[in-house]
Amino acid sequence: MVVSCPCALALALPAAFASAQSALAKAGVLSFSNDSLVKLAKVDTFIFDKTGTLTQGKITRTADRYFVEDQAHALAIACALERNSLHPLASAFPEPSSLQATNVRLIPGNGICGFIDGKEYRIGSAEFAANAIDDGRLWLGDGEQALASFSLNDNARADAKMTISALQKAGLEVHLLSGDAAVNVDSFAQEVGILHWAARQNPDQKQAYLKALQSQGHSIAMIGDGINDALVLASANVSIAMGSGAAIAQRSADMIICGEKLDRVLAARAVAVKTQQIIKQNLRWALLYNLISIPVTAMGFIHPGFAALGMVTSSLLVSLNALRLRKVSVSQ
């Protein structure tokens, strides 16, 4: 009875998951469930959002163009519309505005609209804001006439290209989904080394893109940060949100990256893969121990004291093996 006590078998999974969660915490990743670790180990495709995820989200204006004489008034309209926006693009309009925008609404994949002095204004894509041809700039207008357009700059995170390269070297597909114009997304994808991308994606289109990959048999990990990413994050096999992102994106995610280091995605995957290896090793050891010890003990070849020692030793080995997860490195 002593030798057959399944302590090692019972500890195989909890010990591994407890060590894995500790390793993730040290790596700066918060995981909400053990199930997400299991799923992350099986992922074969990673999908990234662009702005605020692969980029720093610190957007600046590099060139303004105005199509009205009162340029200051046009800029004040843009600042008023962006004043309470949670999108990273709002950081490009820090100037104070004396104007007050009302009934401000975010139109996912297009931009923002609102009323100022009883007139509707829009800021976003060229077609949405000014019925113009999309050129990659941010446009301000009333839906028909353009007031201004702005060229924006947002640098890639320092570790973005390295993270993408490491995932690809591990045999994983990497995709980029963005609400930005095609010209901007294409240029950025080339910069960080992503071959598969889609531009001007609203939340529904992002979800449809993900589900199309899932229908082909892919297991998807989605990494995003914004309000527009909440839907696709909830639809992924496993989802990871940036700690600096929107609260709704974080609530939709299985994991959260704390801080600004994107390479923590690699650490999370390394821990997930190693956890599955440790679990399999623990289960094999526990089953092998029981298969050998129970028949031998039943035939009277083991003293009860040694049976107790064997039971304790098997449990200790399982626990010590699980502790190896605390030393998992990104390179694994």
Side-chain angles (χ1 to χ4, degrees):
M1 290 178 64
V2 172
V3 80
S4 64
C5 180
C7 291
L9 195 61
L11 286 172
L13 269 69
F17 282 130
S19 292
Q21 293 291 355
S22 176
L24 284 176
K26 289 181 180 179
V29 180
L30 176 62
S31 175
F32 297 116
S33 70
N34 294 328
D35 187 50
S36 60
L37 274 172
V38 176
K39 293 178 179 178
L40 184 58
K42 299 177 181 179
V43 161
D44 61 17
T45 303
F46 278 76
I47 298 178
F48 287 87
D49 170 55
K50 175 179 170 285
T51 305
T53 301
L54 288 175
T55 70
Q56 298 174 9
K58 300 175 182 178
I59 301 173
T60 56
R61 300 199 315 272
T62 57
D64 297 352
R65 297 175 185 170
Y66 293 94
F67 308 106
V68 293
E69 291 186 5
D70 195 344
Q71 298 182 5
H73 182 69
L75 180 59
I77 292 174
C79 292
L81 291 173
E82 295 283 7
R83 180 180 294 150
N84 297 316
S85 174
L86 299 177
H87 195 281
L89 291 180
S91 62
F93 298 89
E95 294 90 346
S97 174
S98 59
L99 302 178
Q100 182 66 41
T102 60
N103 195 25
V104 178
R105 294 178 295 128
L106 171 66
I107 310 299
N110 290 305
I112 295 174
C113 65
F115 287 84
I116 297 176
D117 295 332
K119 183 176 181 179
E120 183 182 32
Y121 291 97
R122 301 179 178 184
I123 185 168
S125 66
E127 183 179 2
F128 169 74
N131 195 26
I133 298 175
D134 194 358
D135 60 354
R137 295 170 63 87
L138 185 70
W139 285 69
L140 173 70
D142 59 9
E144 294 296 333
Q145 298 295 323
L147 301 181
S149 68
F150 310 95
S151 180
L152 306 178
N153 181 58
D154 186 15
N155 295 323
R157 292 184 185 273
D159 55 357
K161 187 173 182 177
M162 181 275 293
T163 300
I164 299 303
S165 178
L167 291 173
Q168 292 170 336
K169 287 180 180 179
L172 303 168
E173 281 192 16
V174 179
H175 296 246
L176 172 62
L177 298 182
S178 175
D180 289 354
V183 61
N184 295 336
V185 180
D186 183 24
S187 175
F188 183 83
Q190 292 184 42
E191 178 184 349
V192 297
I194 296 178
L195 300 177
H196 311 286
W197 57 268
R200 289 301 185 201
Q201 297 285 292
N202 61 38
D204 290 333
Q205 290 171 325
K206 286 186 176 183
Q207 185 187 43
Y209 189 102
L210 179 142
K211 288 188 175 297
L213 289 175
Q214 289 176 327
S215 67
Q216 297 171 15
H218 293 284
S219 180
I220 312 293
M222 176 69 201
I223 300 91
D225 75 309
I227 295 174
N228 291 349
D229 299 320
L231 183 60
V232 69
L233 284 168
S235 302
N237 297 89
V238 60
S239 52
I240 304 174
M242 303 299 293
S244 57
I248 189 172
Q250 295 176 4
R251 286 196 294 268
S252 302
D254 300 305
M255 297 180 177
I256 294 178
I257 295 177
C258 303
E260 300 296 326
K261 294 185 177 180
L262 189 64
D263 63 1
R264 288 173 178 171
V265 171
L266 303 178
R269 181 179 179 273
V271 170
V273 171
K274 191 64 176 179
T275 299
Q276 294 307 300
Q277 296 174 356
I278 294 293
I279 287 174
K280 290 177 181 179
Q281 292 170 3
N282 283 351
L283 289 174
R284 290 192 191 106
W285 162 250
L287 289 172
L288 181 63
Y289 164 76
N290 284 334
L291 287 173
I292 295 175
S293 61
I294 292 176
V296 173
T297 304
M299 290 184 288
F301 294 140
I302 297 181
H303 187 275
F306 288 108
L309 181 61
M311 184 268 291
V312 172
T313 301
S314 65
S315 299
L316 183 61
L317 287 175
V318 166
S319 299
L320 290 176
N321 191 38
L323 289 175
R324 293 195 298 129
L325 282 166
R326 296 187 177 184
K327 298 180 180 181
V328 173
S329 65
V330 172
S331 61
Q332 291 177 290

